[in-house]
Amino acid sequence: MPTKEEIFDNISDYPAEQIAGFITSGIVTFDELCEFKNTGGDFGNELREAVKQLVAGMELKDWAKAEKGNSEESYSEYIEKYPSGEHRVEATIRIGKMRAAKAEEMFWNSLDKTNADAVQRYINEYPTGKYTTQAKKLLKAFERRAQF
């Protein structure tokens, strides 16, 4: 693989497909190639548009792959490869939701379900959580037992 500087110096020698590969490999960014000071104007409009279209197609395929994987890892890989990509925000949101779901799962699994205060803490922390209905049933059972 060439260095960033070699790409800058020889941009007109590379076909659009190879330049798109350099971009998606993280060697160089599209914006860096568009800067006149880097390529001396040799990254012309025709080549620029061809590369832009190729990168967009690659990004779309990688986004589909991330969605298919539907994991923190697959979305993180997408973000790493396309830090200013079209789906960066969506990938970040999905990672956040997955982490929140894991945190809730850990909270629930570690909860002393024989302790009414602990169950109430879960409800307070996750009022619309995955286990809220179950937690409310436990609290009602605690209340019924307390009445006897």
Side-chain angles (χ1 to χ4, degrees):
M1 280 288 180
T3 65
K4 184 183 291 193
E5 289 72 27
E6 289 171 334
I7 295 168
F8 290 157
D9 292 342
N10 303 295
I11 191 70
S12 58
D13 295 340
Y14 297 111
E17 294 80 7
Q18 196 169 10
I19 296 169
F22 296 151
I23 292 169
T24 59
S25 297
I27 299 172
V28 67
T29 69
F30 184 80
D31 291 339
E32 288 173 327
L33 291 172
C34 291
E35 290 182 32
F36 184 85
K37 68 177 184 175
N38 291 332
T39 60
D42 290 337
F43 191 51
N45 287 338
E46 188 176 314
L47 182 57
R48 186 179 302 182
E49 279 305 309
V51 169
K52 189 176 187 179
Q53 293 300 317
L54 287 166
V55 171
M58 292 172 169
E59 181 181 350
L60 192 57
K61 286 179 185 175
D62 286 339
W63 174 245
K65 181 180 173 184
E67 284 189 302
K68 185 176 180 180
N70 196 33
S71 66
E72 281 186 54
E73 182 180 349
S74 68
Y75 292 121
S76 294
E77 286 173 2
Y78 170 84
I79 292 169
E80 187 176 317
K81 196 167 186 179
Y82 303 98
S84 53
E86 184 178 335
H87 300 283
R88 178 187 50 82
V89 171
E90 189 175 351
T92 302
I93 290 169
R94 289 184 184 188
I95 289 169
K97 287 180 179 180
M98 289 176 180
R99 289 179 180 164
K102 282 183 185 177
E104 179 186 359
E105 191 80 26
M106 288 174 54
F107 188 109
W108 179 254
N109 288 337
S110 65
L111 185 73
D112 178 1
K113 295 170 189 71
T114 64
N115 181 313
D117 290 335
V119 173
Q120 184 61 57
R121 274 195 307 278
Y122 171 84
I123 293 170
N124 293 345
E125 184 74 25
Y126 300 99
T128 59
K130 182 177 178 181
Y131 302 102
T132 300
T133 302
Q134 189 175 346
K136 288 179 178 179
K137 287 179 184 177
L138 284 171
L139 280 183
K140 285 188 191 243
F142 291 137
E143 290 171 8
R144 281 194 300 272
R145 279 188 230 133
Q147 290 174 355
F148 293 108

